[in-house]
Amino acid sequence: FRPTSLTHLLAPSIASRRYLGTLVIAEHEGGSLTNSSLSSIEAARKFLTKDNSLSLLLAGSGPILQEAAANAASCHPSISQVLVADSDKFKNPLAEPWAKLVHLVQQKGEYSYIVAASNSFGKNILPRAAALLDVSPITDVVEISESKTFVRPIYAGNALCTVRYTGSDPCMLTIRTTSFPVGSTSSDSKTNPAPVHQVDLSNFSEDWSSRYVKQTTQDSERPDLGSARVVITGGRALKSAENFKMIEKLAEKLGAAVGATRAAVDAGYVPNELQVGQTGKIVAPELYMAFGVSGAIQHIAGMRDSKVIVAVNKDADAPIFQVADYGLVGDLFEIIPELLEKLPEK
Ligand code: FAD
């Protein structure tokens, strides 16, 4: 690529500047940063030095984006600038335009690190952006031990691997949000908000092949599985969708999110968005209760960071008991009704 020919692509306010630092690719919802973006900021703070500042990249369109940018600029003391790409092209989280945007911003900003959350948004964008920038990304980082040394799970989370990045800048990472919980600093408002700069997109070409069709989300009164403080999970042992309602009732009483194993999802008891594990959601609630879950490594990979794990299984040798803080050997068809009876109405 030819950086000099792209000087005009950014607004004059930032065209003359050169930032050495970290860029966080952030998401926003309802005019605020999402929790996963706050976790990305938390991770990016590890790279902060006197000369290494933290910039945030937000994209979308219209007043809600500008509101999110203004909130982001003052929400976290570590943010030194917010870059905003305001265009209909970013109305939906399509990976191609986003990757091109990251490429564009990197050509001007020359960041040493680019960080995104290891969720469907970050996992979609970052590898494409890395390919455009000709670097190899490091994914699902759970620990930053030195400036370019990272820990990430391998073998479905059964082992942790320490990797050192030896490629050229930028060093691009996706981070596991549950490993970088949002600290108290995130809620401190700044007295002086960071500057917000608009990215000039006048020459941003629309040469991508994917097309946004629609997004389907389930409306639920329950907390979001990814960020709930309590998760109640059911496994294959529930035997039917009808029986799985016991898990839902328990979750309602405890104000919890519902999770499921892949076996329960594959059997059609619940939709697959409730799957916890290697190929499902990664959760780390304060309390994780597993009913009739064997504890296969692919399931453990998605919940092992939970603070307190409670397991109910009729097999005393079930592997779930190896990670459980509290284990109860018994039949869930007796234990859940008893719990429902004894817990007070919400
Ligand atoms: P089972 O393994 O059948 O366990 C049922 C358990 O319920 C048993 O321990 C049994 O003792 C107990 N039980 C039975 N009846 C009762 C009762 N009445 N009361 C109490 N306990 C009872 N799995 C996931 O969960 N998430 C993933 O993301 C995931 N990804 C995968 C990716 C790959 C590539 C592969 C190969 C597999 C993946 N799996 C995943 C599947 C995983 O290997 C297991 O098959 C699955 O987790 C088992 O689900 P389960 O514990 O509900 O069922």
Side-chain angles (χ1 to χ4, degrees):
F1 55 85
R2 292 165 294 132
T4 46
S5 65
L6 287 157
T7 315
H8 60 286
L9 288 181
L10 294 179
S13 54
I14 55 170
S16 55
R17 299 185 191 190
R18 187 183 155 99
Y19 288 100
L20 274 174
T22 302
L23 180 71
V24 171
I25 306 173
E27 278 178 285
H28 58 97
E29 207 177 282
S32 300
L33 291 180
T34 58
N35 277 342
S36 54
S37 298
L38 291 172
S39 289
S40 303
I41 294 170
E42 221 41 55
R45 289 178 67 220
K46 309 261 180 213
F47 305 125
L48 278 180
T49 59
K50 201 159 57 64
D51 308 314
N52 194 332
S53 60
L54 199 159
S55 303
L56 208 69
L57 175 61
L58 277 177
S61 71
I64 196 82
L65 168 69
Q66 300 301 338
E67 187 188 330
N71 283 337
S74 50
C75 86
H76 202 294
S78 304
I79 298 169
S80 57
Q81 67 162 346
V82 180
L83 303 178
V84 176
D86 191 343
S87 160
D88 278 352
K89 300 175 184 68
F90 306 113
K91 217 162 98 189
N92 304 305
L94 266 188
E96 283 95 335
W98 260 98
K100 280 169 64 104
L101 175 65
V102 174
H103 182 232
L104 170 71
V105 168
Q106 171 62 11
Q107 283 184 320
K108 273 321 292 169
E110 296 185 5
Y111 295 96
S112 315
Y113 300 91
I114 300 182
V115 180
S118 186
N119 55 13
S120 54
F121 174 78
K123 285 198 271 192
N124 206 7
I125 293 164
L126 201 99
R128 287 169 199 266
L132 293 176
L133 291 163
D134 202 18
V135 296
S136 181
I138 299 176
T139 56
D140 219 11
V141 167
V142 295
E143 193 185 317
I144 298 169
S145 26
E146 281 170 42
S147 64
K148 291 207 170 158
T149 307
F150 310 102
V151 179
R152 61 185 298 275
I154 52 169
Y155 303 127
N158 229 17
L160 292 172
C161 172
T162 301
V163 292
R164 184 186 296 278
Y165 181 73
T166 53
S168 52
D169 282 355
C171 172
M172 298 180 79
L173 326 167
T174 59
I175 58 99
R176 190 176 276 200
T177 52
T178 51
S179 302
F180 298 94
V182 179
S184 55
T185 43
S186 305
S187 52
D188 294 349
S189 52
K190 282 173 83 160
T191 6
N192 296 319
V196 175
H197 301 292
Q198 307 293 324
V199 178
D200 182 355
L201 299 163
S202 46
N203 290 337
F204 193 81
S205 62
E206 284 189 47
D207 56 349
W208 51 84
S209 51
S210 62
R211 192 169 55 88
Y212 179 82
V213 180
K214 67 171 179 182
Q215 180 171 343
T216 314
T217 49
Q218 293 263 332
D219 283 337
S220 167
E221 307 232 311
R222 286 198 207 101
D224 171 56
L225 177 56
S227 53
R229 290 183 61 243
V230 181
V231 173
I232 314 287
T233 287
R236 194 195 321 255
L238 268 298
K239 290 193 182 143
S240 69
E242 189 54 35
N243 290 342
F244 209 94
K245 293 203 175 108
M246 285 199 296
I247 296 283
E248 289 162 10
K249 269 196 204 135
L250 192 56
E252 252 157 56
K253 282 213 165 179
L254 294 169
V258 171
T261 62
R262 179 155 139 184
V265 167
D266 286 352
Y269 307 163
V270 282
N272 62 2
E273 68 203 25
L274 299 189
Q275 184 177 319
V276 172
Q278 184 195 343
T279 42
K281 299 220 165 96
I282 308 283
V283 301
E286 304 283 321
L287 174 63
Y288 188 87
M289 297 179 84
F291 293 89
V293 172
S294 59
I297 56 164
Q298 295 90 352
H299 184 78
I300 304 279
M303 46 64 81
R304 70 176 339 137
D305 291 334
S306 305
K307 310 292 170 293
V308 175
I309 299 172
V310 176
V312 175
N313 195 305
K314 67 179 187 187
D315 174 7
D317 294 325
I320 189 79
F321 289 129
Q322 286 165 23
V323 294
D325 299 283
Y326 299 93
L328 186 54
V329 179
D331 188 336
L332 65 86
F333 291 104
E334 289 166 16
I335 291 162
I336 298 182
E338 200 178 326
L339 271 172
L340 285 171
E341 197 190 302
K342 290 193 174 149
L343 282 168
E345 282 306 323
K346 220 181 109 189

